[in-house]
Amino acid sequence: MNNISVIIGTQWGDEGKGKIVDLLSENADYVVRFHGGNNAGHTVIVGGKKYPFHLIPAGILQPKAVGVIGNGVLIDLEVLSSEIKMLQDEGMDLKKKLIISDRCHLILPYHKALDLAYENARGKNKLGTTGRGIGPAFADKVSYNGIRIHELMDWNLFIEKFKFQAKIKNEILKTFDVALIKIDEELKKIADLRKIILPFVGDTFVATQKAINEKKNILLEGAHGVMLDIDFSPYPFSTGSNVITGAVNTGAGIPVQKVSEVIGVVKAYTSRVGGGPVPTELEGSLADELREKGGEYGTTTGRARRVGWLDLEAVKFACQISGATHIVITKIDVLSGFEKIKVCVEYQLPSSVIPTSSSVIARSETTKQSNKISYSSCGYKELARVIPIYKEFSGWKEDIMDIKKFNDLPKNCQDYIKFIEKFLEVPIKIISTGPAREEYITPTP
Ligand code: IMP
């Protein structure tokens, strides 16, 4: 049987998936992105060198792995071409190493302009998007106004479609009173970029079906995290795509029953970029310390991330909905030196709160009887009001980055890790103890 593994972020993204993807790609024949766009960022450190990825699967750095960008991924031509260049400058011959689905939709300049215009217009209610045009590009996709990457092959038709869309978008941009798209200038840029990208565009379904039939190993590289899933996040504090396991079917054409392993990546604490409720968020000096130690600044936007304690109520939901067969715990080293470490094990609503979101009204049986509320029953308003119930752990002082055996970890660190595994009821596959490829522990049962 071939091994088809899916990597899913179980929090708000930035769980440290890049390193795990790189690590697990060692035996992969194909590494596949299946959703999102260049709002995602995966950083891989190999031989002391940092490789930031936004579109190309991070697993491509492994010599054997072929990178596939599935149809569910939105493509910004400029970002993709600079990633192609980064790898070619390293001497990588991408001809047989990269395939981009011809069905991918494009993020075009007007999508980015609209994303920013909507955000500015929202004022104090802004969502904190990455500004990469994700929402507007997905909106065009589902309203049949999108332009797909294969359309770059028929240049005259592309020009016609681009002009039609850009003119409409300029009308909308006018209402926001912002700069309009310079249509001919943008077309000139796209004309150059298409030459770089078209050689890699093909039918990825054929490639992945062949791989499945030939019993090859496939690693599906999730981006973002379940708490940003367009359906299962506290909407509208969401990203535009489905993040959960089912998206491998819609976003890469891989039948779900072929998946043999779902790996949920759990960062040892929480971080969030952008707006929206984060029940375990910390403030003040503790937050600053965690942010600095964890280097919690966005790979994509450079923004300082909001940070907090691990929220197992939310992560449990993420593991359940994505069918996690294993978890990977990342950045445990960042917690070294904290005197006390807390973990959220339950949410409670203050008794004064009357649930208002439709999801809560539909499932209000539990809330009638007690103040306990599950993550899945929370709309964004409830999530903003929940009281996290914590379990407190004593910390450890030792630097654990060089430790290679679970039993050599400080006792308090072992207890913390064992608690997570027991609470989630999902076995741990890997514990990551530092940013570099070799810094990890495989726990023995
Ligand atoms: P968008 O995806 O740019 O539309 O942004 C929507 C929300 O998702 C914002 O809060 C972003 O900060 C967040 N977001 C999108 N992608 C990622 C990611 O890969 N990591 C962390 N946050 C993300």
Side-chain angles (χ1 to χ4, degrees), residues 12-162:
W12 276 270
D14 309 314
E15 295 92 355
K17 294 184 290 298
K19 172 193 162 162
I20 304 306
V21 168
D22 170 61
L23 205 59
L24 297 179
S25 301
E26 198 182 351
N27 297 318
D29 300 291
Y30 290 85
V31 278
V32 185
R33 273 279 308 264
F34 56 94
H35 64 100
N38 57 300
N39 47 348
H42 285 168
T43 307
V44 180
I45 303 176
V46 184
K49 194 168 174 195
K50 257 192 190 184
Y51 297 86
F53 289 99
H54 298 285
L55 284 171
I56 293 182
I60 201 168
L61 290 179
Q62 293 286 3
K64 185 169 82 153
V66 171
V68 176
I69 302 185
N71 57 282
V73 180
L74 296 175
I75 303 289
D76 181 316
L77 295 168
E78 232 169 318
V79 175
L80 183 55
S81 69
S82 67
E83 278 179 25
I84 289 173
K85 188 168 179 312
M86 170 182 85
L87 294 173
Q88 286 172 335
D89 287 350
E90 286 291 309
M92 196 183 274
D93 181 4
L94 287 175
K95 261 184 248 125
K96 290 205 171 129
K97 256 194 100 50
L98 178 65
I99 321 173
I100 304 158
S101 169
D102 51 3
R103 292 180 167 87
C104 287
H105 277 253
L106 294 174
I107 298 182
L108 293 161
Y110 45 77
H111 294 128
K112 288 180 261 187
L114 280 172
D115 193 359
L116 297 174
Y118 275 114
E119 273 292 81
N120 286 335
R122 286 183 189 115
K124 68 174 178 35
N125 295 323
K126 69 167 49 136
L127 302 174
T129 72
T130 59
R132 302 301 191 253
I134 302 297
F138 275 124
D140 268 0
K141 174 176 174 175
V142 296
S143 63
Y144 324 125
N145 287 304
I147 302 183
R148 302 205 286 182
I149 201 164
H150 72 84
E151 297 184 80
L152 290 168
M153 291 177 195
D154 185 342
W155 185 235
N156 287 332
L157 190 56
F158 179 89
I159 294 175
E160 194 184 308
K161 289 193 176 186
F162 181 83

Side-chain angles (χ1 to χ4, degrees), residues 283-300:
E283 276 168 8
S285 56
L286 202 52
D288 294 342
E289 191 183 345
L290 191 52
R291 185 178 305 108
E292 288 312 312
K293 280 189 170 170
E296 295 297 345
Y297 295 90
T299 323
T300 303

Side-chain angles (χ1 to χ4, degrees), residues 12-14 39-40 128-130 134 224 228 238-239 272-274 303:
W12 276 270
D14 309 314
N39 47 348
T129 72
T130 59
I134 302 297
H224 323 302
L228 293 169
S238 319
T239 189
R272 169 75 162 112
V273 254
R303 290 181 286 181

Side-chain angles (χ1 to χ4, degrees), residues 110-345:
Y110 45 77
H111 294 128
K112 288 180 261 187
L114 280 172
D115 193 359
L116 297 174
Y118 275 114
E119 273 292 81
N120 286 335
R122 286 183 189 115
K124 68 174 178 35
N125 295 323
K126 69 167 49 136
L127 302 174
T129 72
T130 59
R132 302 301 191 253
I134 302 297
F138 275 124
D140 268 0
K141 174 176 174 175
V142 296
S143 63
Y144 324 125
N145 287 304
I147 302 183
R148 302 205 286 182
I149 201 164
H150 72 84
E151 297 184 80
L152 290 168
M153 291 177 195
D154 185 342
W155 185 235
N156 287 332
L157 190 56
F158 179 89
I159 294 175
E160 194 184 308
K161 289 193 176 186
F162 181 83
K163 284 188 170 169
F164 174 74
Q165 289 297 332
K167 279 180 190 159
I168 296 171
K169 303 309 194 282
N170 272 346
E171 289 303 313
I172 305 173
L173 289 169
K174 258 186 219 163
T175 66
F176 286 111
D177 204 16
V178 294
L180 306 187
I181 297 302
K182 294 185 177 126
I183 297 180
D184 290 332
E185 236 173 71
E186 294 299 344
L187 273 169
K188 263 192 213 131
K189 280 193 224 157
I190 298 171
D192 290 339
L193 293 168
R194 74 191 264 270
K195 290 184 201 136
I196 301 170
I197 285 162
L198 277 179
F200 302 105
V201 174
D203 189 341
T204 52
F205 177 74
V206 170
T208 50
Q209 278 296 308
K210 189 164 175 281
I212 293 172
N213 292 336
E214 289 174 358
K215 311 254 177 281
K216 302 277 188 197
N217 293 329
I218 302 176
L219 185 77
L220 289 134
E221 182 176 322
H224 323 302
V226 171
M227 267 78 238
L228 293 169
D229 184 276
I230 187 67
D231 288 293
F232 290 99
S233 57
Y235 188 91
F237 297 99
S238 319
T239 189
S241 52
N242 281 115
V243 168
I244 54 178
T245 308
V248 304
N249 197 186
T250 53
I254 307 259
V256 190
Q257 83 273 25
K258 299 280 180 195
V259 170
S260 39
E261 186 182 38
V262 179
I263 301 161
V265 182
V266 183
K267 184 154 69 179
Y269 53 93
T270 296
S271 72
R272 169 75 162 112
V273 254
V278 178
T280 60
E281 183 166 11
L282 288 168
E283 276 168 8
S285 56
L286 202 52
D288 294 342
E289 191 183 345
L290 191 52
R291 185 178 305 108
E292 288 312 312
K293 280 189 170 170
E296 295 297 345
Y297 295 90
T299 323
T300 303
T301 57
R303 290 181 286 181
R305 295 178 186 144
R306 300 156 66 195
V307 291
W309 296 125
L310 177 60
D311 182 346
L312 284 182
E313 169 60 33
V315 172
K316 184 150 195 153
F317 166 80
C319 288
Q320 287 169 339
I321 198 156
S322 43
T325 58
H326 295 89
I327 53 167
V328 167
I329 299 184
T330 59
K331 297 186 99 166
I332 189 77
D333 53 298
V334 172
L335 295 182
S336 293
F338 285 92
E339 205 177 316
K340 297 276 173 212
I341 298 167
K342 289 188 187 179
V343 177
C344 168
V345 291

Side-chain angles (χ1 to χ4, degrees), residues 373-392:
I373 186 164
S374 63
Y375 168 86
S376 66
S377 296
C378 288
Y380 77 91
K381 288 186 195 140
E382 289 75 27
L383 206 59
R385 303 289 300 276
V386 294
I387 302 164
I389 306 300
Y390 288 109
K391 179 172 168 61
E392 193 173 271

